């Protein structure tokens, strides 16, 4: 018994192991066309871990360095919009367990993402007006920016972050 190796050229023409075109069936009707092999790698399943960044009164009791924020890991459903999902987790604030661990947020409740795009390494995030409501003081503003920026910069496609409120990136989050 002699084995016959058959494969197809990109145009679909069958080729034998000697490089010459060959038949795809034997004289008795047996199909010699090889079974197709899956070309796509299956997508991973299960939750995805992302980091959200908060202040932490236990790690930094004096909170003297306002730009210093600390990661908390959240598990989210897998999504193509992972940066958006991470920000949505950030805007939920610390969980009860995270609060017990000292995590705090400077971000007002109710903030919504109006638009998020990553263009040439810069995340352009437009947020609802709740972000800027009753916000004052250099330390508070610095912490808000750090929380959003570090949450987005965990992703390899993000090198910088531009924050806007209702389309305005000028004169927002001012002390």
């Amino acid at each position: 018994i002699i084995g016959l190796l058959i494969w197809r050229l990109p145009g679909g023409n069958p080729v034998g192991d000697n490089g010459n075109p060959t038949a795809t069936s034997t004289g008795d009707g047996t199909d010699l066309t090889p079974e197709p092999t899956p070309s796509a790698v299956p997508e991973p399943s299960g939750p995805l871990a992302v980091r959200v960044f908060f202040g932490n009164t236990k790690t930094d009791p004096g909170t003297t360095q306002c730009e210093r924020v600390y990661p908390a890991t959240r598990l989210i459903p897998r999504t193509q919009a992972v940066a958006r999902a991470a920000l949505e987790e950030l805007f939920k604030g610390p969980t009860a367990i995270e609060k017990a661990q000292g995590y705090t947020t400077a971000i007002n409740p109710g903030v919504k993402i109006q638009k998020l795009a990553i263009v040439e390494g810069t995340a352009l995030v437009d947020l609802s007006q709740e972000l800027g409501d009753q916000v004052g003081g250099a330390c508070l503003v610095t912490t808000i920016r750090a929380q959003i920026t570090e949450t987005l910069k965990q992703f390899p496609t993000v090198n910088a972050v531009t924050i806007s409120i209702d389309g305005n990136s000028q004169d927002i989050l001012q002390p």
Side-chain angles (χ1 to χ4, degrees):
I1 297 178
I2 299 175
L4 178 64
L5 176 63
I6 298 176
W7 69 93
R8 292 192 181 274
L9 291 174
N13 299 327
V15 176
D17 57 0
N18 63 0
N20 295 325
T22 186
T24 57
S25 66
T26 63
D28 65 1
T30 305
D31 186 6
L32 297 177
T33 305
E35 290 292 318
T37 56
S39 60
V41 176
E43 289 291 320
S45 61
L48 178 66
V50 296
R51 293 177 299 158
V52 292
F53 287 79
F54 298 113
N56 191 298
T57 57
K58 290 187 178 179
T59 305
D60 187 10
T63 314
T64 57
Q65 296 183 2
C66 305
E67 73 283 351
R68 191 170 286 173
V69 290
Y70 304 89
T73 301
R74 300 272 177 93
L75 294 177
I76 61 169
R78 288 200 177 270
T79 177
Q80 293 292 328
V82 67
R84 176 179 287 272
L87 277 182
E88 289 170 348
E89 286 297 311
L90 174 68
F91 297 155
K92 290 177 183 178
T95 64
I97 292 171
E98 291 164 347
K99 286 178 183 177
Q101 295 169 341
Y103 288 101
T104 63
T105 187
I107 298 172
N108 288 328
V111 174
K112 302 282 186 254
I113 302 167
Q114 299 183 140
K115 184 177 178 184
L116 174 61
I118 300 171
V119 179
E120 296 179 3
T122 299
L124 307 169
V125 60
D126 186 47
L127 302 170
S128 61
Q129 56 89 26
E130 289 86 357
L131 183 68
D133 285 350
Q134 305 295 316
V135 173
C139 191
L140 182 63
V141 168
T142 300
T143 303
I144 291 169
R145 285 188 179 279
Q147 285 186 251
I148 295 168
T149 299
E150 294 307 312
T151 296
L152 289 171
K153 285 177 71 176
Q154 74 184 291
F155 303 108
T157 56
V158 178
N159 300 315
V161 177
T162 299
I163 302 168
S164 61
I165 297 174
D166 291 333
N168 178 19
S169 61
Q170 303 295 320
D171 303 324
I172 63 160
L173 298 176
Q174 297 296 317

